[in-house]
Amino acid sequence: SDGTTDGTFLIKKINPINTSSPSEFTIYKGMLFFSADNGTNGRELWITDGTTNGTKLFKDFYYSKSSNPSGLTVYKDKLYFATTDSLNGRELWRSDGTIEGTLLFKDININGNSSPSNLATYNNKLYFSADDGVNGQELWVTDGTEEGTLMIKDININGNSSPQEFKEFKGKLYFSAQDESNGREIWVTDGTASGTKMIKNIHATENSNPYGFTEYLDKLYFYAIDNINGFELWSTDGTTDGTQLLKEINSNNELIYYPCELKVVAGKLFFYGLNTESGLEPWVTDGTEEGTHLLKNIAPGSWYSLYSKYTFANYNNKLYFRAEDGSNLDELWVSDGTTEGTKKIHPEGYVGYEPLGCQSDFKVY
């Protein structure tokens, strides 16, 4: 789409019988790389220049089966990703944008799948999670060379730490990981083994499952579960003492909802809040407990108005999102951060149909 009705069209029917379900869209060297299934080769790596003839299978890594390329990330002018072939299993690959220059980068697990995931760039290096067959799924890094690709630290010596949710903040890389004694908690690394450590054990007996790391007003905000307040919004300044609950919104700890989203718009932080009084609704905060409040109870008497991840978008310093106000219609809403300025937008020609499907996402273009 170029943003007009006439300029919005199907580029190519990739799978003539079923859905190709394109995903993993990544721009590299002026082309759009993505994963798709044409019904013949399985899910493989595709490429497009925006034309029908220029939309084609880039490489079939696993003949007669799906290679499922994922985690496409541009690093040092190369495209890195995880994919599966019949010889090496699921490993880390690299491409220079040509078929002959698309090669296995490193066979991390020579006896099975290293299953690289959660690729993230930080401090001129590429970080990811991988399993070498000995230490489990742990924190890895590469400088773009095979010899410079190594495990940083075996966080969970008895199993998988499965690091994820990577977010750079104050010159360090924050993430979620699970060690052998504390469960899944918030961790940080400076790229060294000694500098990779847990910030705080939020849940004393189980996993706090921190996720949604979002920087706002010199702090990192995230959702987590503790053994006192349940599922709530937290923040950290990078220190143990500075990692604290923002506000107890839900006094009924049995009510837990996953997943949710955080979005900074016009100097405020918007998020999903859940309690027994209003259900699951949009909330807003200025970073203080007293400045954290319900934005609007869109569906009074209902358990929720929000129920899908990735519905918040920042456009022209306003918050756009999808919600259901009790009319059983999932529609587009906009907010300037005030209750009275949070309104439903009717599309042109609206006649009471549901304009947004269950998988709707928003992209500013």
Side-chain angles (χ1 to χ4, degrees):
S1 178
D2 62 4
T4 67
T5 301
D6 293 339
T8 302
F9 57 91
L10 175 68
I11 296 176
K12 188 169 187 173
K13 175 67 173 167
I14 293 174
N15 191 325
I17 300 175
N18 209 328
T19 58
S20 68
S21 299
S23 61
E24 300 283 338
F25 296 111
T26 305
I27 297 172
Y28 176 59
K29 291 192 172 180
M31 302 287 282
L32 185 67
F33 286 77
F34 62 100
S35 165
D37 184 352
N38 64 1
T40 303
N41 301 91
R43 178 161 293 279
E44 298 293 343
L45 188 61
W46 282 67
I47 191 171
T48 185
D49 60 2
T51 67
T52 300
N53 291 336
T55 303
K56 53 190 175 181
L57 177 67
F58 180 72
K59 187 178 178 70
D60 189 351
F61 296 94
Y62 202 161
Y63 299 110
S64 76
K65 295 184 179 180
S66 295
S67 71
N68 294 314
S70 65
L72 279 64
T73 303
V74 179
Y75 168 65
K76 286 189 174 180
D77 201 36
K78 295 289 195 302
L79 184 65
Y80 289 78
F81 55 95
T83 197
T84 307
D85 68 5
S86 59
L87 182 62
N88 302 287
R90 189 161 191 80
E91 294 294 341
L92 188 62
W93 285 64
R94 182 173 69 181
S95 177
D96 62 3
T98 66
I99 297 175
E100 58 273 13
T102 302
L103 304 166
L104 173 70
F105 176 63
K106 184 169 183 173
D107 191 357
I108 294 175
N109 188 338
I110 59 174
N111 296 315
N113 303 312
S114 72
S115 300
S117 61
N118 300 297
L119 280 66
T121 56
Y122 158 67
N123 199 22
N124 203 32
K125 291 184 178 181
L126 183 65
Y127 289 74
F128 57 97
S129 169
D131 182 355
D132 61 4
V134 177
N135 300 289
Q137 201 78 19
E138 295 295 339
L139 181 62
W140 282 68
V141 66
T142 183
D143 60 4
T145 66
E146 187 173 355
E147 59 274 14
T149 304
L150 45 88
M151 183 178 71
I152 295 178
K153 186 172 185 174
D154 188 0
I155 294 174
N156 190 338
I157 59 175
N158 295 327
N160 303 313
S161 71
S162 301
Q164 55 193 10
E165 295 281 335
F166 293 113
K167 177 69 175 181
E168 185 174 353
F169 174 63
K170 288 187 176 180
K172 294 183 179 181
L173 190 64
Y174 289 73
F175 60 99
S176 163
Q178 180 171 341
D179 67 11
E180 65 277 5
S181 56
N182 298 291
R184 179 162 294 278
E185 298 294 341
I186 180 172
W187 283 67
V188 66
T189 185
D190 61 3
T192 67
S194 59
T196 302
K197 54 188 177 181
M198 182 177 68
I199 295 179
K200 186 169 186 172
N201 186 3
I202 294 175
H203 200 302
T205 57
E206 298 180 9
N207 302 320
S208 74
N209 292 323
Y211 77 96
F213 298 128
T214 302
E215 185 174 355
Y216 173 63
L217 295 182
D218 205 34
K219 288 186 179 182
L220 200 61
Y221 287 77
F222 58 97
Y223 290 102
I225 303 170
D226 69 6
N227 51 310
I228 299 174
N229 302 287
F231 179 67
E232 297 288 354
L233 187 62
W234 286 65
S235 70
T236 183
D237 60 4
T239 67
T240 301
D241 292 340
T243 303
Q244 300 175 343
L245 172 73
L246 175 63
K247 182 175 184 175
E248 185 183 17
I249 294 172
N250 176 23
S251 59
N252 183 355
N253 295 344
E254 294 181 358
L255 284 178
I256 297 179
Y257 181 82
Y258 296 97
C260 300
E261 187 182 15
L262 301 167
K263 180 72 70 174
V264 178
V265 181
K268 294 182 179 180
L269 179 63
F270 295 83
F271 63 99
Y272 286 46
L274 172 66
N275 61 27
T276 55
E277 290 77 29
S278 58
L280 189 67
E281 296 289 344
W283 282 61
V284 64
T285 183
D286 60 4
T288 66
E289 183 177 358
E290 57 274 14
T292 303
H293 59 85
L294 174 70
L295 177 62
K296 186 169 187 172
N297 191 354
I298 293 176
S302 175
W303 190 78
Y304 59 77
S305 70
L306 306 171
Y307 55 90
S308 176
K309 192 179 181 183
Y310 306 132
T311 66
F312 286 169
N314 181 359
Y315 174 59
N316 283 346
N317 280 328
K318 289 187 178 181
L319 177 75
Y320 287 78
F321 61 99
R322 51 182 293 228
E324 193 258 290
D325 62 1
S327 61
N328 295 319
L329 296 176
D330 200 25
E331 297 172 304
L332 183 62
W333 287 67
V334 64
S335 177
D336 61 3
T338 66
T339 301
E340 58 275 10
T342 303
K343 303 176 181 178
K344 179 166 52 178
I345 300 176
H346 286 312
E348 184 179 354
Y350 176 82
V351 291
Y353 58 87
E354 183 172 20
L356 301 180
C358 64
Q359 298 301 322
S360 295
D361 196 359
F362 302 113
K363 181 71 174 179
V364 176
Y365 164 74

